[in-house]
Amino acid sequence: MTAPAPARDQARTARRTLLAWLAACAVGGGLALLAAGRVWVTLGTAEGPAGAGGGSLTGNDLVAWLTPAALAALAAVLAVLATRGVARRVTSVVVALLGAAVAAGAWDGTRGATITSVAARHMTTAVTSSGHISVESRAWVWPVLAAVGGLVLAGAGVAAAALSVRWPGMSSRYERGAGRAGASGATRVKDADRAMWDAIDEGEDPTA
Protein backbone atom coordinates (compact mmCIF):
# COMPACT_ATOMS: atom_id res chain seq x y z
CA MET A 1 0.00 0.00 0.00
CA THR A 2 1.43 3.38 -1.05
CA ALA A 3 1.84 5.98 1.68
CA PRO A 4 -0.11 9.25 1.30
CA ALA A 5 1.71 12.11 -0.40
CA PRO A 6 1.99 14.24 2.81
CA ALA A 7 3.55 11.31 4.65
CA ARG A 8 6.04 10.72 1.82
CA ASP A 9 6.93 14.42 1.80
CA GLN A 10 7.50 14.41 5.55
CA ALA A 11 9.70 11.31 5.33
CA ARG A 12 11.71 12.88 2.51
CA THR A 13 12.16 16.10 4.46
CA ALA A 14 13.25 14.16 7.54
CA ARG A 15 15.88 12.26 5.52
CA ARG A 16 17.21 15.47 4.00
CA THR A 17 17.41 17.12 7.40
CA LEU A 18 19.26 14.12 8.78
CA LEU A 19 21.76 14.16 5.90
CA ALA A 20 22.36 17.89 6.38
CA TRP A 21 22.87 17.30 10.10
CA LEU A 22 25.38 14.52 9.45
CA ALA A 23 27.27 16.75 7.03
CA ALA A 24 27.42 19.54 9.62
CA CYS A 25 28.72 17.13 12.27
CA ALA A 26 31.36 15.79 9.89
CA VAL A 27 32.52 19.33 9.07
CA GLY A 28 32.59 20.37 12.71
CA GLY A 29 34.45 17.29 13.86
CA GLY A 30 36.83 17.45 10.90
CA LEU A 31 37.72 21.08 11.58
CA ALA A 32 38.40 20.36 15.24
CA LEU A 33 40.59 17.35 14.49
CA LEU A 34 42.49 19.15 11.73
CA ALA A 35 43.16 22.22 13.85
CA ALA A 36 44.16 20.25 16.95
CA GLY A 37 47.12 18.70 15.17
CA ARG A 38 48.52 21.96 13.80
CA VAL A 39 51.07 24.30 15.41
CA TRP A 40 49.32 27.04 17.36
CA VAL A 41 52.30 28.68 19.06
CA THR A 42 55.98 29.06 18.23
CA LEU A 43 58.19 29.75 21.24
CA GLY A 44 61.59 31.36 21.70
CA THR A 45 64.02 32.65 24.33
CA ALA A 46 65.81 35.88 25.03
CA GLU A 47 68.70 34.60 22.87
CA GLY A 48 66.43 33.95 19.86
CA PRO A 49 64.03 31.35 18.50
CA ALA A 50 63.97 28.07 20.33
CA GLY A 51 64.39 26.05 17.17
CA ALA A 52 62.67 22.95 15.91
CA GLY A 53 63.66 20.80 18.85
CA GLY A 54 60.97 22.04 21.17
CA GLY A 55 59.84 25.51 20.19
CA SER A 56 56.43 24.72 18.69
CA LEU A 57 53.22 23.70 20.41
CA THR A 58 50.24 22.13 18.68
CA GLY A 59 46.67 22.34 19.81
CA ASN A 60 46.97 18.84 21.27
CA ASP A 61 50.07 19.93 23.22
CA LEU A 62 48.23 22.88 24.70
CA VAL A 63 44.92 21.08 25.37
CA ALA A 64 45.44 17.35 25.78
CA TRP A 65 41.73 16.50 25.66
CA LEU A 66 40.94 18.46 22.49
CA THR A 67 41.19 15.53 20.06
CA PRO A 68 39.59 12.99 22.44
CA ALA A 69 36.60 15.31 22.89
CA ALA A 70 36.19 15.72 19.12
CA LEU A 71 36.43 11.97 18.54
CA ALA A 72 33.94 11.29 21.32
CA ALA A 73 31.54 13.81 19.75
CA LEU A 74 31.75 12.02 16.39
CA ALA A 75 31.16 8.68 18.12
CA ALA A 76 28.10 10.17 19.82
CA VAL A 77 26.86 11.32 16.39
CA LEU A 78 26.84 7.69 15.25
CA ALA A 79 25.07 6.74 18.46
CA VAL A 80 22.32 9.23 17.63
CA LEU A 81 21.63 7.25 14.46
CA ALA A 82 21.55 3.94 16.31
CA THR A 83 19.16 5.02 19.08
CA ARG A 84 15.56 6.17 19.27
CA GLY A 85 13.29 8.09 21.62
CA VAL A 86 14.70 9.33 24.91
CA ALA A 87 18.06 7.64 24.33
CA ARG A 88 18.48 9.56 21.07
CA ARG A 89 17.76 12.87 22.77
CA VAL A 90 20.16 12.12 25.61
CA THR A 91 22.87 11.22 23.10
CA SER A 92 22.16 14.45 21.21
CA VAL A 93 22.77 16.40 24.42
CA VAL A 94 26.08 14.54 24.81
CA VAL A 95 27.07 15.70 21.30
CA ALA A 96 26.25 19.29 22.28
CA LEU A 97 28.26 19.08 25.51
CA LEU A 98 31.30 17.57 23.78
CA GLY A 99 31.13 20.24 21.10
CA ALA A 100 31.06 22.92 23.79
CA ALA A 101 34.07 21.23 25.41
CA VAL A 102 35.99 21.43 22.12
CA ALA A 103 35.18 25.14 21.77
CA ALA A 104 36.20 25.78 25.38
CA GLY A 105 39.45 23.89 24.81
CA ALA A 106 40.23 26.00 21.76
CA TRP A 107 39.82 29.14 23.86
CA ASP A 108 41.91 27.71 26.70
CA GLY A 109 44.72 26.91 24.28
CA THR A 110 45.14 30.61 23.45
CA ARG A 111 45.50 31.76 27.08
CA GLY A 112 48.92 33.02 28.11
CA ALA A 113 48.85 31.02 31.35
CA THR A 114 48.17 27.79 29.44
CA ILE A 115 50.95 28.47 26.94
CA THR A 116 53.48 29.28 29.66
CA SER A 117 52.58 26.18 31.68
CA VAL A 118 52.74 23.83 28.71
CA ALA A 119 55.92 25.42 27.35
CA ALA A 120 57.70 24.78 30.62
CA ARG A 121 56.99 21.06 30.19
CA HIS A 122 57.71 20.75 26.49
CA MET A 123 60.76 22.95 25.89
CA THR A 124 64.20 21.38 26.05
CA THR A 125 66.31 21.59 29.19
CA ALA A 126 68.82 23.88 27.48
CA VAL A 127 66.11 26.34 26.64
CA THR A 128 64.22 26.26 29.93
CA SER A 129 67.44 26.74 31.89
CA SER A 130 67.60 30.30 30.60
CA GLY A 131 64.26 31.01 32.24
CA HIS A 132 63.16 33.36 29.47
CA ILE A 133 60.52 31.68 27.33
CA SER A 134 58.66 33.99 24.98
CA VAL A 135 56.01 33.62 22.31
CA GLU A 136 57.56 34.21 18.91
CA SER A 137 54.33 33.86 16.93
CA ARG A 138 50.81 32.52 17.07
CA ALA A 139 48.81 30.87 14.31
CA TRP A 140 45.38 32.15 15.27
CA VAL A 141 43.65 30.42 12.39
CA TRP A 142 43.91 26.99 14.02
CA PRO A 143 42.35 27.76 17.43
CA VAL A 144 39.65 29.74 15.63
CA LEU A 145 38.87 26.78 13.36
CA ALA A 146 38.86 24.44 16.36
CA ALA A 147 36.41 26.74 18.15
CA VAL A 148 34.21 26.93 15.06
CA GLY A 149 34.21 23.14 14.80
CA GLY A 150 33.24 22.82 18.44
CA LEU A 151 30.43 25.34 18.09
CA VAL A 152 29.11 23.54 15.01
CA LEU A 153 29.04 20.27 16.97
CA ALA A 154 27.36 21.98 19.92
CA GLY A 155 24.71 23.51 17.68
CA ALA A 156 24.19 20.20 15.91
CA GLY A 157 23.63 18.48 19.23
CA VAL A 158 21.01 21.02 20.25
CA ALA A 159 19.29 20.69 16.86
CA ALA A 160 19.26 16.91 17.12
CA ALA A 161 17.70 17.04 20.58
CA ALA A 162 14.84 19.08 19.13
CA LEU A 163 14.40 17.49 15.70
CA SER A 164 15.67 13.91 15.88
CA VAL A 165 12.27 12.51 16.89
CA ARG A 166 11.28 12.79 13.19
CA TRP A 167 14.48 11.29 11.82
CA PRO A 168 14.74 7.68 10.61
CA GLY A 169 17.22 5.44 12.35
CA MET A 170 19.38 2.49 11.44
CA SER A 171 17.45 0.24 13.82
CA SER A 172 14.10 0.90 12.15
CA ARG A 173 15.39 -0.28 8.78
CA TYR A 174 16.80 -3.47 10.26
CA GLU A 175 13.64 -4.08 12.25
CA ARG A 176 11.52 -3.73 9.11
CA GLY A 177 13.80 -6.09 7.21
CA ALA A 178 13.78 -8.62 10.04
CA GLY A 179 10.00 -8.37 10.26
CA ARG A 180 9.56 -9.04 6.55
CA ALA A 181 11.98 -11.96 6.68
CA GLY A 182 10.20 -13.43 9.69
CA ALA A 183 6.80 -13.04 8.08
CA SER A 184 7.90 -14.70 4.83
CA GLY A 185 9.50 -17.56 6.78
CA ALA A 186 6.31 -18.13 8.76
CA THR A 187 4.30 -18.12 5.51
CA ARG A 188 6.55 -20.79 4.01
CA VAL A 189 6.17 -22.99 7.09
CA LYS A 190 2.38 -22.67 6.97
CA ASP A 191 2.34 -23.54 3.26
CA ALA A 192 4.46 -26.63 3.87
CA ASP A 193 2.17 -27.79 6.70
CA ARG A 194 -0.92 -27.27 4.57
CA ALA A 195 0.61 -29.25 1.70
CA MET A 196 1.44 -32.11 4.06
CA TRP A 197 -2.09 -32.35 5.46
CA ASP A 198 -3.58 -32.13 1.97
CA ALA A 199 -1.43 -35.07 0.92
CA ILE A 200 -2.57 -37.12 3.93
CA ASP A 201 -6.23 -36.37 3.13
CA GLU A 202 -5.69 -37.68 -0.40
CA GLY A 203 -4.22 -40.92 0.91
CA GLU A 204 -0.63 -40.18 0.05
CA ASP A 205 2.35 -40.75 2.31
CA PRO A 206 4.06 -37.34 2.68
CA THR A 207 7.26 -39.01 3.98
CA ALA A 208 7.72 -41.14 0.85
Side-chain angles (χ1 to χ4, degrees), residues 19-90:
L19 290 176
W21 181 79
L22 288 173
C25 290
V27 170
L31 284 176
L33 291 174
L34 173 67
R38 295 299 187 270
V39 174
W40 290 18
V41 176
T42 301
L43 300 171
T45 65
E47 288 76 19
S56 61
L57 298 175
T58 66
N60 287 323
D61 293 331
L62 293 165
V63 185
W65 43 266
L66 194 59
T67 289
L71 291 175
L74 292 176
V77 167
L78 297 179
V80 169
L81 299 178
T83 54
R84 299 180 70 86
V86 175
R88 172 173 281 186
R89 289 181 175 176
V90 171

Side-chain angles (χ1 to χ4, degrees), residues 82-102:
T83 54
R84 299 180 70 86
V86 175
R88 172 173 281 186
R89 289 181 175 176
V90 171
T91 310
S92 300
V93 172
V94 172
V95 174
L97 292 176
L98 289 170
V102 170

